[in-house]
Amino acid sequence: MLDQIKENGFSTDHIIIREGITAVTKILIREGDRVFDDYTEGVQEDVVLPYEKIPSPKGYDLIHFTVWGFGREHIKRLKESTGALLSCDFSGQLEDPRTEIIQYLDISFFSGSHLIEKDQNPEPVLKRLKEKTPGLVVMTLGEYGSMVYDGKDLYKGEAIPVDVVDTLGAGDAYIAGFLCSRIKGKTIPESIMAGHLAATEICKRLGAWGGEP
């Protein structure tokens, strides 16, 4: 895994290595769509990320977290000590207690395609989430596109048609495209488009990174 990270151009300097079994998720592919199966937590069980293990936030444009990751308890402190944008991917955890940190975030990401699949309107949900934060709230909707609410205007983006090989990583790619666009000063509609373009490219290849389109 470390070799793969390096081959993709990322630093491994701050990766914490512990003795034990690496966390493993078994993922099935059903007609191009990824389905999560078994999960072995391994050394990630009960793990804590000490604040001192976080690289100095000075000089960073953006610090991103995930609901499945670690260190979210430090977000309030980071908000007070850095001018970097703070964002978090909450996946489909719309009512999870861990969303309490949304009040400190500049951009919060949620997955809401399951709402549409249950014949629920995601717009009221998005607006309720916005009431908890001064930042943007973004909701990806899979094949149904995405929405962004800034408290005043609701922006919508359409998914780009693609011959899907594997949807694994599409949401993460959207987030990466959206965030990169925002820190470059692009508008919300431009950032939505950047997110959809990135997601489309990921869907053309097997696996979340690498692989041939």
Side-chain angles (χ1 to χ4, degrees):
M1 184 178 292
L2 291 173
D3 289 341
Q4 283 290 310
I5 292 171
K6 291 175 183 177
E7 287 179 14
N8 280 272
F10 297 102
S11 170
T12 59
D13 293 345
H14 298 288
I15 290 180
I16 299 172
I17 300 175
R18 302 175 65 184
E19 289 293 329
I21 300 172
T22 297
V24 175
T25 301
K26 183 179 179 181
I27 301 173
L28 308 177
I29 306 299
R30 293 287 183 263
E31 297 181 353
D33 197 11
R34 57 102 178 100
V35 178
F36 291 104
D37 192 27
D38 294 335
Y39 173 59
T40 301
E41 196 163 19
V43 294
Q44 288 192 173
E45 185 177 4
D46 300 322
V47 75
V48 174
L49 176 63
Y51 186 82
E52 58 270 18
K53 288 289 187 179
I54 300 176
S56 172
K58 295 181 179 178
Y60 283 85
D61 296 316
L62 169 75
I63 303 174
H64 182 67
F65 293 83
T66 167
V67 71
W68 306 120
F70 310 97
R72 293 179 307 278
E73 66 274 18
H74 304 309
I75 286 180
K76 183 177 184 293
R77 183 174 175 183
L78 287 169
K79 184 70 173 180
E80 297 168 348
S81 62
T82 177
L85 289 176
L86 298 178
S87 66
C88 183
D89 173 16
F90 293 104
S91 188
Q93 309 306 300
L94 304 177
E95 305 295 337
D96 195 293
R98 290 172 291 184
T99 63
E100 292 178 0
I101 58 170
I102 195 174
Q103 61 186 302
Y104 306 114
L105 299 174
D106 297 291
I107 308 176
S108 301
F109 294 91
F110 292 87
S111 173
S113 58
H114 62 286
L115 296 175
I116 296 178
E117 291 165 358
K118 294 179 181 179
D119 294 323
Q120 298 179 31
N121 185 355
E123 290 187 23
V125 178
L126 185 71
K127 291 181 177 180
R128 284 199 299 271
L129 291 167
K130 178 66 180 79
E131 293 174 359
K132 303 178 182 180
T133 177
L136 296 177
V137 180
V138 183
M139 184 173 285
T140 57
L141 302 168
E143 63 181 293
Y144 307 105
S146 64
M147 299 188 301
V148 181
Y149 188 51
D150 64 1
K152 179 182 177 182
D153 296 312
L154 179 65
Y155 301 87
K156 297 183 179 181
E158 295 184 1
I160 300 171
V162 59
D163 292 327
V164 174
V165 174
D166 180 7
T167 61
L168 181 64
D172 297 309
Y174 177 100
I175 290 172
F178 187 95
L179 290 175
C180 287
S181 184
R182 287 300 287 171
I183 62 177
K184 292 177 182 177
K186 301 297 184 179
T187 65
I188 292 176
E190 289 173 328
S191 300
I192 290 174
M193 178 56 71
H196 281 298
L197 287 171
T200 298
E201 288 303 311
I202 285 295
C203 287
K204 296 177 182 177
R205 60 188 69 228
L206 185 64
W209 68 9
E212 293 299 322

